[in-house]
Amino acid sequence: MTDHDSVDHSSPCGSSGAGCAGGAPGPAPAAGTPGLGIFDKELLDRCISCGFCLPSCPTYALTGEETSSPRGRITLMRALETGDLAPDDPTLTEESSFCLGCRACETVCPAGVEYGQLLEQWRDHQWGGRDRPWIARVLMMLVSRPGLLRLQGLVRRHARGPGGKAGPRDATPAPSHPPKAPEQPVSLMLGCVERGLYPQVSRAVRRLCPEVDVPASQGCCGALHAHNGDSATGEKLARTLGGQLPGTILTTAGGCAAHLAHHLGRDRVRELSEYLDEREHRPAGQVTVDGRRARAALQDSCHLRNGLGVTRPPRELIAEVADYVELPGAGQCCGAAGTYALLRPADSRKVLDPKLTEVETADVDYVVALNPGCLRQLEQGLRRVRSRARAIHLAEFLALAAEPEPGRPDSGPGAADPREP
């Protein structure tokens, strides 16, 4: 994949110029217009080209180009669907990759366009077979092998075992008042990336919620596949995981939560902060730095915020144990976007850099993440600018509040807590 500024966009809607001219959106196809069947016609026709989505789009903010906005990309999709643009048109190739898939446009669309679904359909067509980025192919192959995922657990020692049998080090921090008991079994989804890179997150969940079961036999949820041109496998994996995890599925990854909720139903899936909120869990203790309450900010998970509408619970939980600081761009994408930071590192950094400036201006001790990809992105960014702030997952942050001697953020972004087993 190339970075966006290396691509020639002299024609706003591709080499043929189909669909728009001079940056203006093209008209929606007339009712009954035949198509190639790449897209769900009802979804594609829903866009009224009003432009409300433009200010919400991170890539449009970077370039100011119509084709790099949701409206412009839907114009490209229509040109592809009608055959006015060939599948190998360079602008189609570029824009299907340049989009972050953050779904911020969906929250401001008056017509209810499900842009995330359209993007999946676009990449299913655009990224088939060898046209899929090789990094994505390798990652999809790895997470499709349950044996490799379980091996990560043996090496990295993520949480495991049935609920209610936590060991001494996994004992739950006592909340300020007893939480409500769950109405059905709760199964913790470990996550492909998280169980390998951040096993301490699932261990922190077991300390917060000892009632949670952690089934050993669980695979990938399929979100990685759905976002990288194989939505059929993504759905299959989601339904398989739904059968492996009984009761409510508890996840610590916003992207996985949105994907599972789409295929299994919203009633079966809960992200950690909303699960704690629904149980009226109030964390004990506080996170301190040099004897004072820590200053902590939040980086929203795009799919959790824009796909599932979860914004209040994580903020309230953080405010229980620290002085919460709202970053101006907390609800905007950090540039991680699943595999995006690997496929387009330069563009990913451009999206992240303003956020790093906000963190430094706010003078916070911690930046709390709700997604492993966001956590990795923030860790690397904060390390690059030599920030004193530490990126940390919400589960770790809440568990840290109950520690007798909370860790210090100046130990470096991503530094392991010495008290972790």
Side-chain angles (χ1 to χ4, degrees):
M1 287 297 164
T2 58
D3 296 316
H4 187 77
D5 54 12
S6 66
V7 176
D8 180 11
H9 281 273
S10 56
S11 176
C13 284
S15 57
S16 69
C20 65
T33 300
L36 300 179
I38 299 169
F39 300 96
D40 182 306
K41 189 176 186 303
E42 190 275 330
L43 292 181
L44 197 60
D45 290 351
R46 198 178 295 175
C47 176
I48 57 175
S49 299
C50 65
F52 280 107
C53 57
L54 271 65
S56 70
C57 179
T59 53
Y60 180 76
L62 287 178
T63 68
E65 296 181 5
E66 173 73 24
T67 45
S68 299
S69 72
R71 180 175 70 178
R73 290 185 177 115
I74 288 177
T75 298
L76 291 172
M77 294 178 201
R78 287 170 171 164
L80 173 62
E81 176 70 13
T82 58
D84 291 329
L85 283 181
D88 61 353
D89 182 277
T91 306
L92 287 175
T93 302
E94 166 65 3
E95 291 300 335
S96 65
S97 165
F98 187 37
C99 179
L100 288 148
C102 69
R103 298 174 61 182
C105 52
E106 293 185 18
T107 66
V108 296
C109 178
V113 174
E114 297 178 49
Y115 181 85
Q117 291 297 105
L118 290 172
L119 180 62
E120 286 187 11
Q121 293 169 12
W122 192 9
R123 288 181 176 171
D124 280 353
H125 179 78
Q126 206 75 31
W127 290 9
R130 294 188 177 275
D131 291 331
R132 183 174 297 119
W134 72 267
I135 293 177
R137 291 205 305 270
V138 170
L139 291 174
M140 291 161 67
M141 177 187 66
L142 292 175
V143 301
S144 297
R145 287 161 170 72
L148 290 177
L149 295 180
R150 286 194 290 272
L151 181 62
Q152 288 187 82
L154 294 176
V155 175
R156 299 288 287 156
R157 295 183 301 136
H158 57 64
R160 56 178 57 83
K165 296 183 180 180
R169 295 193 64 86
D170 288 331
T172 181
S176 56
H177 65 272
K180 292 180 178 179
E183 296 180 356
Q184 60 179 337
V186 181
S187 301
L188 177 63
M189 192 204 83
L190 291 169
C192 302
V193 173
E194 198 170 82
R195 74 180 79 183
L197 293 182
Y198 303 109
Q200 67 273 18
V201 171
S202 58
R203 296 199 297 265
V205 173
R206 285 301 304 273
R207 294 198 294 275
L208 294 167
C209 312
E211 76 280 2
V212 170
D213 188 13
V214 189
S217 179
Q218 55 173 290
C220 175
C221 75
L224 179 68
H225 298 74
H227 300 158
N228 287 277
D230 189 1
S231 61
T233 299
E235 179 178 358
K236 179 181 178 181
L237 289 172
R239 297 194 182 283
T240 298
L241 185 63
Q244 295 170 335
L245 302 181
T248 297
I249 299 176
L250 177 62
T251 173
T252 49
C256 299
H259 176 72
L260 287 172
H262 176 72
H263 291 293
L264 303 180
R266 187 66 176 96
D267 59 323
R268 280 213 62 194
V269 180
R270 290 294 182 270
E271 180 271 336
L272 177 64
S273 70
E274 62 173 343
Y275 173 75
L276 294 175
D277 180 66
E278 289 175 358
R279 294 184 63 228
E280 298 180 359
H281 174 98
R282 290 296 175 264
Q286 61 181 346
V287 180
T288 61
V289 176
D290 296 330
R292 59 171 173 82
R293 266 172 74 95
R295 290 169 55 81
L298 175 72
Q299 169 58 41
D300 280 298
S301 157
C302 289
H303 281 192
L304 186 64
R305 179 187 182 97
N306 303 326
L308 298 183
V310 177
T311 58
R312 176 188 55 80
R315 287 167 167 79
E316 291 188 352
L317 287 166
I318 294 170
E320 289 276 347
V321 299
D323 291 339
Y324 179 70
V325 179
E326 180 74 18
L327 298 178
Q332 298 167 4
C333 187
C334 68
T339 58
Y340 192 92
L342 300 175
L343 301 178
R344 306 184 66 106
D347 288 326
S348 176
R349 283 190 177 190
K350 291 175 186 176
V351 175
L352 175 64
D353 283 346
K355 197 173 297 290
L356 299 177
T357 301
E358 290 179 1
V359 170
E360 295 306 288
T361 301
D363 190 30
V364 296
D365 303 299
Y366 292 92
V367 184
V368 179
L370 305 172
N371 199 66
C374 303
L375 180 57
R376 178 181 177 274
Q377 177 84 337
L378 291 167
E379 281 182 345
Q380 293 182 340
L382 292 171
R383 185 181 297 117
R384 173 164 50 88
V385 299
R386 300 183 181 278
S387 173
R388 75 175 187 86
R390 174 185 169 188
I392 188 170
H393 192 279
L394 177 67
E396 293 180 86
F397 190 69
L398 297 179
L400 182 63
E403 294 282 353
E405 296 178 0
R408 293 169 57 90
D410 57 2
S411 59
D417 189 326
R419 291 176 304 284
E420 283 291 353

